Amino acid sequence: MTELPPRKPRPRRTFSVFGDVRRMPSEYEIVTHGQNWTLRQNRASAFEQNPSSAANLWFLTYRDNSPLRATDWDAFRDPDALTYKAYVNLQSDAETTAAGVLEANAAAGADAALEAESVALLGGLLTPSRYLCHGFQQVQAYIGYMAPSSYITNAAGFATADFLRRVTLIAYRTRELQLARPEWGIGTAERVLWEEHDGWQSARKAVEYALASYDWAEAFTALDLVLGPTLDDVLLTQLGQAAKRRGDEETWLLTSFLAEDSRRRGRWSRALADLAVTQRPENRAVLAKWIDRWSVLADEAALGLGQILQRYADVDPAQVAEHAGAARQQFLAGLTDAVGANGSAHAS
């Protein structure tokens, strides 16, 4: 009987860097996969220098040896599959929409027609928030820099750009209000409010602690799982609603636009947290500990901002904080074994 020669192995139909897969990678995967040089294969350390150098020890301590671990961080995918091209096109359209609102209201002289209480609300809560958002931007950039996968780095990078967009828009509105209502001190008083006003001090404490959270995963938990969902509810959702009740449609619209960036950040952040607990169930306890710790700071910050809303929008600070805590609780639901009444998580 004649033996048939062995079959030649079928050539792979896709990129070998993705492993033995039988599908064509998406454009998103092609331009994102393996782009973090500090995670290159067969590396002795993050950087090509002495493994005991300060930079290599930093990455070893705060990324590679983080308590939050996964079998394969490269399995993470941004639910929105954003690439640089897709992000630029998305935000170009968003900026066009925001610019249309700004131009229409400027042409109508809307700032000059605002009620005194509305101007006070913006000067007390909106314009000083650029300091908080800039701190968030720095934390988000650090998360992306330290992340253990280029998929996470890219998602965090686009979120960093979102915070820059937010700071820029707030600064633009600050200047508009300064020109239209110079008697209110808008544009000059924000730093004093940020550094000394009782209502801002808990938020300032929270972001400064987040800036000093060196473990990449704790910084991610602090900002993207706790502080962001909590304080965005106050500074975007509740502020926008309070402004609308006073006839300030412009602020309501602009905060609604910025809230879409916040929701997009929430989608990939929750997807990343879900991946971590799916791949390694022990991560539930790690996240629970951090969520517990940061929820206390988030609730204190929301209550402080609620005091500012009380003064200018006649709302109960406790209800502001409760609403923000409920928003966080809804965002975290199901991530850990149990979620406490204050939105903090506990592993069983």
Side-chain angles (χ1 to χ4, degrees):
M1 180 178 179
T2 305
E3 293 185 4
L4 296 176
R7 286 186 177 181
K8 293 182 179 180
R10 179 181 295 180
R12 291 179 175 172
R13 297 180 180 178
T14 185
F15 294 75
S16 59
V17 71
F18 291 92
D20 189 15
V21 296
R22 298 299 177 185
R23 66 172 180 83
M24 182 71 176
S26 66
E27 178 184 4
Y28 160 69
E29 291 172 319
I30 291 171
V31 301
T32 306
H33 192 88
Q35 296 302 306
N36 191 330
W37 182 78
T38 66
L39 293 164
R40 64 198 180 281
Q41 292 183 352
N42 302 317
R43 67 189 185 280
S45 55
F47 300 99
E48 290 183 336
Q49 50 187 254
N50 191 320
S52 62
S53 68
N56 279 324
L57 290 177
W58 189 276
F59 273 74
L60 178 65
T61 303
Y62 298 120
R63 183 187 67 187
D64 300 341
N65 290 337
S66 170
L68 194 76
R69 301 174 185 177
T71 55
D72 181 18
W73 286 116
D74 277 339
F76 167 72
R77 294 293 183 271
D78 175 6
D80 291 279
L82 283 183
T83 63
Y84 178 76
K85 176 182 177 181
Y87 179 80
V88 169
N89 289 336
L90 175 71
Q91 294 301 66
S92 176
D93 292 341
E95 283 295 286
T96 298
T97 303
V101 171
L102 292 169
E103 291 170 5
N105 282 271
D111 287 339
L114 282 175
E115 296 179 354
E117 292 82 359
S118 294
V119 179
L121 174 62
L122 297 178
L125 200 57
L126 176 68
T127 61
S129 70
R130 66 181 185 270
Y131 291 99
L132 178 68
C133 293
H134 181 59
F136 282 174
Q137 178 188 340
Q138 291 176 293
V139 178
Q140 194 73 78
Y142 179 78
I143 294 166
Y145 180 64
M146 295 290 292
S149 168
S150 55
Y151 289 98
I152 306 171
T153 294
N154 278 21
F158 296 134
T160 302
D162 288 341
F163 279 123
L164 175 59
R165 175 193 181 216
R166 184 165 167 181
V167 171
T168 302
L169 181 57
I170 295 170
Y172 188 93
R173 285 295 293 135
T174 300
R175 182 57 175 163
E176 283 191 321
L177 291 163
Q178 183 183 37
L179 292 174
R181 309 297 286 268
E183 71 276 12
W184 286 91
I186 293 176
T188 58
E190 285 85 4
R191 181 169 180 174
V192 174
L193 291 173
W194 170 249
E195 294 179 348
E196 300 180 9
H197 192 288
D198 289 344
W200 277 107
Q201 296 319 294
S202 293
R204 187 162 72 93
K205 175 183 176 181
V207 72
E208 288 179 356
Y209 276 24
L211 285 164
S213 296
Y214 302 138
D215 184 283
W216 83 271
E218 182 173 6
F220 162 73
T221 304
L223 175 60
D224 295 319
L225 299 184
V226 180
L227 294 177
T230 306
L231 300 188
D232 279 354
D233 181 77
V234 180
L235 294 171
L236 297 178
T237 303
Q238 296 193 61
L239 172 59
Q241 292 171 351
K244 187 179 182 182
R245 288 194 297 269
R246 292 196 172 278
D248 182 3
E249 295 274 341
E250 180 178 13
T251 298
W252 172 65
L253 286 170
L254 294 177
T255 53
S256 298
F257 299 155
L258 293 174
E260 180 52 43
D261 293 346
S262 177
R263 285 189 289 271
R264 188 171 60 252
R265 186 180 75 248
R267 287 193 291 272
W268 72 259
S269 298
R270 182 56 198 263
L272 178 58
D274 286 340
L275 173 79
V277 299
T278 298
Q279 288 196 357
R280 190 170 181 265
E282 300 92 324
N283 284 330
R284 293 184 183 275
V286 177
L287 289 173
K289 178 181 177 181
W290 285 336
I291 290 171
D292 237 2
R293 177 188 305 166
W294 286 98
S295 292
V296 174
L297 295 172
D299 288 339
E300 291 175 351
L303 184 62
L305 298 179
Q307 293 169 0
I308 301 175
L309 272 172
Q310 179 187 37
R311 179 176 178 182
Y312 300 120
D314 192 26
V315 294
D316 183 351
Q319 291 183 352
V320 171
E322 182 180 356
H323 192 281
R328 180 180 72 243
Q329 181 177 356
Q330 182 178 9
F331 176 71
L332 293 173
L335 178 59
T336 54
D337 293 333
V339 180
N342 69 342
S344 58
H346 304 272
S348 62

